[in-house]
Amino acid sequence: MSAPPVLGLIPDLPDLLVEPQVRAALIEDLGRAGDITGNAVVPADAHLCGVIAARQPGRIAGMAAAAMAFRLVDPAIRFEPLAADGASVKAGDAVARVAGSARAILAAERVALNFLCHLSGVATTTAALVAAARPHGPARIVCTRKTTPGLRLLEKHAVLAGGGANHRFGLDDAMLIKDNHIAIAGGVGVALKRAQAAAGHLVRIEVEVDTLEQLDEALAAGAEAILLDNMDLTTLREAVRRAGGRAITEASGRITLDTVGAVAATGVDLISVGWLTHSAPILDLGLDVTAPR
Amino acid sequence: MSAPPVLGLIPDLPDLLVEPQVRAALIEDLGRAGDITGNAVVPADAHLCGVIAARQPGRIAGMAAAAMAFRLVDPAIRFEPLAADGASVKAGDAVARVAGSARAILAAERVALNFLCHLSGVATTTAALVAAARPHGPARIVCTRKTTPGLRLLEKHAVLAGGGANHRFGLDDAMLIKDNHIAIAGGVGVALKRAQAAAGHLVRIEVEVDTLEQLDEALAAGAEAILLDNMDLTTLREAVRRAGGRAITEASGRITLDTVGAVAATGVDLISVGWLTHSAPILDLGLDVTAPR
Amino acid sequence: MSAPPVLGLIPDLPDLLVEPQVRAALIEDLGRAGDITGNAVVPADAHLCGVIAARQPGRIAGMAAAAMAFRLVDPAIRFEPLAADGASVKAGDAVARVAGSARAILAAERVALNFLCHLSGVATTTAALVAAARPHGPARIVCTRKTTPGLRLLEKHAVLAGGGANHRFGLDDAMLIKDNHIAIAGGVGVALKRAQAAAGHLVRIEVEVDTLEQLDEALAAGAEAILLDNMDLTTLREAVRRAGGRAITEASGRITLDTVGAVAATGVDLISVGWLTHSAPILDLGLDVTAPR
Amino acid sequence: MSAPPVLGLIPDLPDLLVEPQVRAALIEDLGRAGDITGNAVVPADAHLCGVIAARQPGRIAGMAAAAMAFRLVDPAIRFEPLAADGASVKAGDAVARVAGSARAILAAERVALNFLCHLSGVATTTAALVAAARPHGPARIVCTRKTTPGLRLLEKHAVLAGGGANHRFGLDDAMLIKDNHIAIAGGVGVALKRAQAAAGHLVRIEVEVDTLEQLDEALAAGAEAILLDNMDLTTLREAVRRAGGRAITEASGRITLDTVGAVAATGVDLISVGWLTHSAPILDLGLDVTAPR
Amino acid sequence: MSAPPVLGLIPDLPDLLVEPQVRAALIEDLGRAGDITGNAVVPADAHLCGVIAARQPGRIAGMAAAAMAFRLVDPAIRFEPLAADGASVKAGDAVARVAGSARAILAAERVALNFLCHLSGVATTTAALVAAARPHGPARIVCTRKTTPGLRLLEKHAVLAGGGANHRFGLDDAMLIKDNHIAIAGGVGVALKRAQAAAGHLVRIEVEVDTLEQLDEALAAGAEAILLDNMDLTTLREAVRRAGGRAITEASGRITLDTVGAVAATGVDLISVGWLTHSAPILDLGLDVTAPR
Amino acid sequence: MSAPPVLGLIPDLPDLLVEPQVRAALIEDLGRAGDITGNAVVPADAHLCGVIAARQPGRIAGMAAAAMAFRLVDPAIRFEPLAADGASVKAGDAVARVAGSARAILAAERVALNFLCHLSGVATTTAALVAAARPHGPARIVCTRKTTPGLRLLEKHAVLAGGGANHRFGLDDAMLIKDNHIAIAGGVGVALKRAQAAAGHLVRIEVEVDTLEQLDEALAAGAEAILLDNMDLTTLREAVRRAGGRAITEASGRITLDTVGAVAATGVDLISVGWLTHSAPILDLGLDVTAPR
């Protein structure tokens, strides 16, 4: 295990914000009657020690949700994280130790792993994109609002754990003027003016443009941040040149591990990737029982 | 669009069971202040017509959740599905029509699509596996409990829409005796006996085995369903032979689109695939505005 | 106190599944202002010791809910169970000791007893039926879905504590084809075929029959479990003979303490009784203060 | 059907207060996957007409909860009450008509009946006690806080439907000084003085007494209402005489259908009965399908 | 700090009743991502000691809610109250000490203070009215149902902390017949008779009158409590004389700090003041950091 | 009525975000048993027409919450707003018409008015400050996080209705570096650098300064927005001069209606006022029954 994340960039999430999701996932799995297999097959006083281990290399995220799953099923379970969110692991690395009632651990296991594997998958995919982009330019990898329903906070946090950065969290914490807004408003300039008039002084505004003409209109209207949507590399490079540091530039649109380096090389500030959160495969982690007692 | 799903296999989900997830996802996106961009840029009386269209071929699922997202934001939005869950679509096919307040539609759009794209992704992946397996054997493709936290019901439903079948929904609606249970109980036979003694008369029991010896022990103990975990094709074929129709056989363990045909050819009854639900990429669908008014 | 329940058949319920009901019941009793009598009459620093004692003989259930009621009102209350769920008690037996703030104990008392008395009533009634049936045949006493709204899990658990067994927990964990389903489908055979086609491999199917003709049809269609509804003893006996071990048989319909022995003597596997859960009188238990301090 | 309840005494309950319980009961029954039997066996477009009929004579309560159960499962179901809460019915009387989607009606049926049968059971038992007491004295039959957890409002309402009256709804809407309060305070007089000093001007106070000496002490301290606990008939009669109209008198303690007349004859104002709500058997009602379509 | 409140009149509120409001307020402030400023600027291991101090003299209320806000964000925060609800403080007095993780304390600070300042404001305003009324008559100052939505219990409690008394808590714990009820019923007498017929024996009834004629009608009908609405001082005095101790009298209607003494001098039992709860300015309290570590 | 608010600045709030608060407030008032006075005194079929009228001049806010209170109690109530949020009213102006079941309207009245009066109070106070500031400078009046627990969204919206603007909504939608952050970080510059490094590209950062030296440090570090805390007018004017348009300037600290004009005259961009939301007196509005039927 290595490469601890930059300090301060991956803060702990307050339990208050995470517990509702973990509780709902446990109730979803326990149903009405709880773990009827464990209750039938495992003696009530059986104890169990185990480690959660990585089956493949990757980046860890979601440790707090996993810990909470065990704790909510049985506060007496001892859960000891061996890797923090943001840590890189190799196949075979243990990322946590767990000990306690065998029935309780087996009842919580799947939910804990469902969080940990999914969120570590997001972190691992983010880390791969970051690694592919970094040699070519300063661009940060950012996520979008294309998140799994109910898991936005946790997925955004997993993106940080992967070395990426967060875009806005929802419709209310920043303005992003998109193609449909522009069409309805009647142009980039009009839309931006309306947004600037309505925005509170701590609300930042970004505008999406499809062409260099729209870009010029956005810059003329004083745009602070500009999303360059689905532009080819040549156009992107020209857009960055025209922005000239006056506005943050963000490239978007079907960017892959193969193309992210070339996009970064255009000099854009940000590269946003929807599939980071909506289509990242899990990181495979599993519970290995080390000592049933 | 073609190939309607088999009647009766994809029932409507009760709104009562789906609404909590859709409501939570909307609140997650609207935050405290709602869509501040739309409120600033789009006139309050602007209307909008659009279609949700597939950007790639696939199988649809999640139409009810998408409809509910629009309805919960504004009951006056008209949402007309053009494809039912389980329908196959080509790139470019419209799957739904939506009309109403532009502000409301744009506020609900992302959440509606997050459900529809994710669940259609699960259905599409399932359909691909079903198509790959079908020429080689009678095996049904089934999902597992490795689902996205909070979305189990919807993902299970999406698997049906893809032509797959459902495994148990949680820890309480059937017994599945797994390796750790067996280790703690002290053997396949003991574990099965305990489970049979405790199970209600409408609770079915499945047992996981890793070897042919364990299989024999399970069959001797009267197992009804046996999960053959991580067996190679030769062993699988022998296991099916030994089961000889006395127990349902389920193959499991890292089965891919490339290998599923060969696994089906062993004659197993079921092939379970965790990544159907935890790692299926989305099906890309988007909202095309046809007529702002 | 005597006759501990069979080990493993009465598992602990996860707090996660019980707490919502106990919390709701406390809020229902505390209202907006809490216990205004205790707050006015009892000094804030008064302590109290007491025992919860049985006023009549019976079978205990609901100890965890009672304990939780005290704990949720004041975590500092010490609650010590003296009888486990499933234990038999005589009139006068103490079943729990409680000590702590007098205000808190008196505020929680009624809710704790409401759970304990109701659930022990269900267990006691179950135990009486079990005792009446046992000399005559092997039949297990099972409950139905005729439960008190909101208390299904707890009542099902109380049935286990009484020595009974559980039927399905709801509409989703097993199929039970009833008279109305059969009428709509057009016959026992058609209904069973549809159910078998749709059921997941871990979903068991039971079918209700009113006549021996329907029974034959069910057996011919491969029914695994058959509910024999409102049959007289002669018909029941013939039905058991025809089933011949090929299907589980369940007798149902207005069975009482007086008739349950004769029903058991027919050889049915299960006897289901709705009034176990919907009409069992409480077991009378009360709090005796042993030492106000 | 006959004998409509006195107008104004059985008000409608606000949906806002009833919906949480009905929703919870439906989710408890539907589980995660809904009615898998109906979905498999009943065609999606099948319709059904039926009546809910009484299988025995009794008094109706809970009609609003039953209606809401059907409406929450499917707003398109038409539910027409034929009897209001408080109406008396004979065996065979239809109390409601229901028509709509067969799948939806069968999915909601059990929960609707669980409410209706339980609450009508409470009303019927209340009505029997009222009828037994009325010839002998003016006493009103009242319920207690010994209610089924989660159902207090509905059970209190059912008592009204049975012709009874309500005691306090919880710990916060009136003061009831009981034996343990008196023991801790050091006497009836002290306890009453503390309560009178603390009570808001719209909070009424009742005090429980076990002896005539305590009664005198309560009257001397200006008690407005006095609970005469577990007194024999002679003592009760003397207590009523001593109270002499200065305080409301309430008899309590193991009163049955056989004894309630004699208790009423003592002249007490109220007779409180815990088993009205905690041990009343259900009134048997069932759904008769009149026309599947 | 001085003048502890009368013992027993200000009971502790059960956590069970307060936690939902505090939790909701924290989630309202933390939003989806928590305290992004503290997470960025304050080291994760920084600790902080501070005192919450009064910036102006007043009366304290809400200490439990403030303590709970810190505890819910981080159970490891040590919060030590230095003043109880009901205590009087001078400008500069410390009312609580807090120590723990700097990030956690700063994240919880605003919500804790929002409760404490608002509720202490209500207590302080109440105390001022009590002080202004006391020299002139025995009247108690009472609050109304004009409370801040969601905070009724806490505001009612703050009124007690200020030395006032509580009116009813809602529409269900006592009857208050107001002008619109009287108009619909057709007179004070009719309305009172209907209320008396319907009321449970522990439900008290108050009636609002605007004139001495209505007062006489209320007294004749046996009113126990009479709200004298918007009467001038002469009329109030005459009303008190006519009531003559037969009914509790309550003055209401635009009473201010300047007029409350004269109203008290009329001899009324109660003076109700809506702006106690709906328009009391906060008591200014703030967190002074004493030692960042 | 006059002076409609600027179009687009006061968007409708989504019902989804407002309903939980209104529902909670109704349940808080209805308690367990609902409006027992109305149920006893008002015939079930009585209808009522009324207007909600202003008792004093002011600015309206909260109309949607008031409408929702009536609708949630009874969807059949007709509620017609006569004034939109942001409208100015004179004493006597009707702001809404309401008609329907008398019981339902009287049950919902208080909660509807509690929202409407409180939020209109916030709007009215805001409007007064805006009017006092406007002749002297361009400064916008903004609110803070010192809001009533549970009502932040509604109070922020009321500030817009009063012609003010919103500061951040919580801890997560912008960064505000305050005195304690600076003390812990070790200076304005360090704190700002840390914040800039951690902030997403759509997160704006404001820093609080107490002195001109801190201001210079903030400007040197590239601060975009600067909160000038508790500065006298001379210092404020100098601060605005030094900022020179490079950063938004916000004056804060005990600003009153009397001083706001002088503060505005210093040229600051924003004036933030905590008591707008935490200490604004209500706007007095009441329900006048026009025609009971």
Side-chain angles (χ1 to χ4, degrees), chain A residues 158-247:
Chain A
V159 168
L160 295 185
N166 289 164
H167 215 288
R168 58 179 185 161
F169 269 66
L171 291 163
D172 68 324
D173 59 337
M175 291 189 183
L176 177 51
I177 305 171
K178 301 173 83 167
D179 50 359
N180 285 327
H181 297 118
I182 293 168
I184 293 171
V188 166
V190 184
L192 254 170
K193 290 300 171 201
R194 286 189 193 163
Q196 289 159 345
H201 76 286
L202 290 184
V203 174
R204 217 184 270 278
I205 304 164
E206 180 166 0
V207 61
E208 175 183 316
V209 302
D210 299 325
T211 64
L212 293 172
E213 291 66 39
Q214 282 187 320
L215 171 66
D216 292 340
E217 198 177 341
L219 291 168
E224 292 179 303
I226 300 176
L227 189 158
L228 307 162
D229 196 39
N230 274 317
M231 290 183 174
D232 60 36
L233 294 173
T234 313
T235 315
L236 268 184
R237 214 172 293 115
E238 172 62 12
V240 171
R241 197 195 58 78
R242 291 196 190 183
R246 282 177 296 162

Side-chain angles (χ1 to χ4, degrees), chain C:
Chain C
M1 222 161 315
S2 67
V6 180
L7 275 180
L9 289 188
I10 312 180
D12 290 342
L13 296 171
D15 281 3
L16 213 60
L17 300 184
V18 178
E19 192 184 309
Q21 283 86 326
V22 180
R23 187 178 290 273
L26 285 167
I27 288 174
E28 188 182 52
D29 200 28
L30 293 167
R32 276 163 303 217
D35 182 4
I36 58 175
T37 312
N39 290 342
V41 173
V42 175
D45 59 355
H47 279 66
L48 180 156
C49 295
V51 294
I52 297 178
R55 309 272 189 246
Q56 57 182 133
R59 190 68 73 95
I60 295 300
M63 198 53 81
M68 194 183 285
F70 288 109
R71 188 167 70 241
L72 285 176
V73 168
D74 181 357
I77 293 176
R78 290 185 308 284
F79 180 92
E80 183 192 352
L82 303 174
D85 281 8
S88 293
V89 293
K90 304 184 305 294
D93 278 352
V95 304
R97 246 186 237 115
V98 61
S101 152
R103 282 190 180 175
I105 288 173
L106 295 177
E109 171 193 3
R110 186 71 263 139
V111 169
L113 289 175
N114 283 351
F115 278 104
L116 195 61
C117 296
H118 175 67
L119 296 169
S120 296
V122 171
T124 300
T125 301
T126 304
L129 278 161
V130 168
R134 193 176 291 152
H136 305 282
R140 292 204 288 182
I141 303 297
V142 298
C143 52
T144 68
R145 282 171 48 242
K146 296 180 176 176
T147 55
T148 311
L151 299 180
R152 185 164 292 170
L153 167 62
L154 289 163
E155 290 183 347
K156 294 269 182 186
H157 195 258
V159 168
L160 295 185
N166 289 163
H167 214 289
R168 59 178 184 161
F169 270 67
L171 291 163
D172 68 324
D173 57 340
M175 290 190 183
L176 178 50
I177 305 172
K178 302 173 83 167
D179 51 358
N180 285 326
H181 297 117
I182 293 168
I184 293 171
V188 166
V190 183
L192 255 170
K193 290 299 172 204
R194 285 189 193 162
Q196 289 159 347
H201 75 287
L202 290 183
V203 173
R204 218 184 268 276
I205 303 166
E206 181 166 0
V207 62
E208 175 183 316
V209 302
D210 298 324
T211 64
L212 293 171
E213 291 66 38
Q214 283 187 319
L215 171 67
D216 292 339
E217 197 177 344
L219 290 168
E224 293 179 302
I226 301 177
L227 190 157
L228 308 162
D229 197 38
N230 274 318
M231 290 183 175
D232 60 37
L233 294 173
T234 313
T235 315
L236 268 184
R237 213 170 295 118
E238 171 63 12
V240 172
R241 198 195 59 77
R242 293 197 188 182
R246 282 177 296 161
I248 293 166
T249 53
E250 172 183 352
S252 174
R254 301 173 189 280
I255 292 157
T256 66
L257 266 176
D258 290 337
T259 61
V260 71
V263 174
T266 64
V268 292
D269 299 303
L270 303 162
I271 300 174
S272 60
V273 182
W275 55 268
L276 267 191
T277 46
H278 67 58
S279 295
I282 64 157
L283 180 72
D284 195 8
L285 297 129
L287 176 68
D288 296 323
V289 171
T290 51
R293 283 187 286 141

Side-chain angles (χ1 to χ4, degrees), chain C residues 31-33, chain D residues 172-173 202-203, chain E residues 143-147 152-153 156 166-178 181 203-204, chain F residues 25-38 106-107 110-111 114:
Chain C
R32 276 163 303 217
Chain D
D172 68 324
D173 58 339
L202 290 183
V203 173
Chain E
C143 52
T144 68
R145 281 171 49 243
K146 296 180 176 177
T147 54
R152 185 165 293 171
L153 168 63
K156 294 269 182 186
N166 289 164
H167 216 289
R168 58 178 184 160
F169 270 66
L171 291 163
D172 68 325
D173 58 339
M175 290 191 183
L176 178 50
I177 305 172
K178 302 174 83 167
H181 297 117
V203 173
R204 218 185 267 278
Chain F
L26 285 167
I27 288 174
E28 189 182 52
D29 201 28
L30 292 168
R32 276 165 303 219
D35 182 4
I36 58 174
T37 312
L106 295 178
R110 185 72 264 139
V111 169
N114 282 352

Side-chain angles (χ1 to χ4, degrees), chain F residues 77-245:
Chain F
I77 293 176
R78 291 185 306 283
F79 180 91
E80 183 192 353
L82 303 173
D85 280 8
S88 294
V89 294
K90 303 184 306 294
D93 279 351
V95 304
R97 245 185 239 118
V98 61
S101 151
R103 282 189 180 176
I105 289 173
L106 295 178
E109 171 194 2
R110 185 72 264 139
V111 169
L113 288 175
N114 282 352
F115 277 105
L116 195 62
C117 295
H118 174 68
L119 296 170
S120 297
V122 171
T124 300
T125 301
T126 305
L129 277 161
V130 168
R134 193 177 291 151
H136 305 282
R140 293 204 287 181
I141 303 297
V142 297
C143 52
T144 68
R145 282 171 48 242
K146 296 180 177 178
T147 55
T148 311
L151 299 180
R152 185 164 292 170
L153 168 62
L154 289 164
E155 289 183 348
K156 294 269 181 186
H157 195 258
V159 167
L160 295 185
N166 289 162
H167 215 289
R168 59 179 183 158
F169 270 65
L171 290 163
D172 68 324
D173 59 338
M175 290 189 183
L176 178 50
I177 304 172
K178 302 174 81 167
D179 49 359
N180 285 327
H181 297 117
I182 292 168
I184 293 171
V188 165
V190 183
L192 254 170
K193 289 301 172 200
R194 286 190 193 161
Q196 288 159 347
H201 76 286
L202 290 184
V203 174
R204 217 185 268 278
I205 303 165
E206 181 166 359
V207 62
E208 176 184 315
V209 302
D210 298 324
T211 64
L212 293 172
E213 291 65 38
Q214 282 188 319
L215 171 67
D216 291 341
E217 197 178 342
L219 290 167
E224 291 179 305
I226 300 177
L227 190 158
L228 307 162
D229 195 40
N230 275 317
M231 290 183 175
D232 62 35
L233 294 173
T234 313
T235 315
L236 268 184
R237 213 171 295 116
E238 172 61 13
V240 172
R241 198 194 58 77
R242 293 196 189 183

